[in-house]
Amino acid sequence: TRRSSDLDGTIYAGGEDGVLYAIGQGGHDLGHLFLSMAIGSSYTPISVDHTGRLYQQNDGVLSVVGK
């Protein structure tokens, strides 16, 4: 699992299932987003920029999630 967090303490994790998960304080599921490929996704890090956008690579495609 690849993971990162933002200033609010939300943990973002990308699984081998191709899904990007958001986990809030206390372990609350804040939602998830299927990115591209579910089987054999490479383990690449998630990055959070200064505006709160998330960057995640899946199946060779860079996805940007956020405002």
Side-chain angles (χ1 to χ4, degrees):
T1 303
R2 305 148 323 252
R3 65 179 185 226
S4 189
S5 63
D6 65 12
L7 294 174
D8 295 328
T10 301
I11 301 292
Y12 299 97
E16 191 175 358
D17 57 0
V19 176
L20 176 64
Y21 297 92
I23 304 163
Q25 295 285 330
H28 299 285
D29 180 7
L30 299 177
H32 54 278
L33 176 66
F34 181 72
L35 294 178
S36 176
M37 184 173 149
I39 298 174
S41 296
S42 63
Y43 286 94
T44 57
I46 298 169
S47 297
V48 182
D49 72 12
H50 68 284
T51 66
R53 289 180 295 208
L54 302 171
Y55 298 84
Q56 171 68 52
Q57 183 176 337
N58 180 279
D59 192 27
V61 176
L62 179 64
S63 297
V64 181
V65 180
K67 304 170 194 166

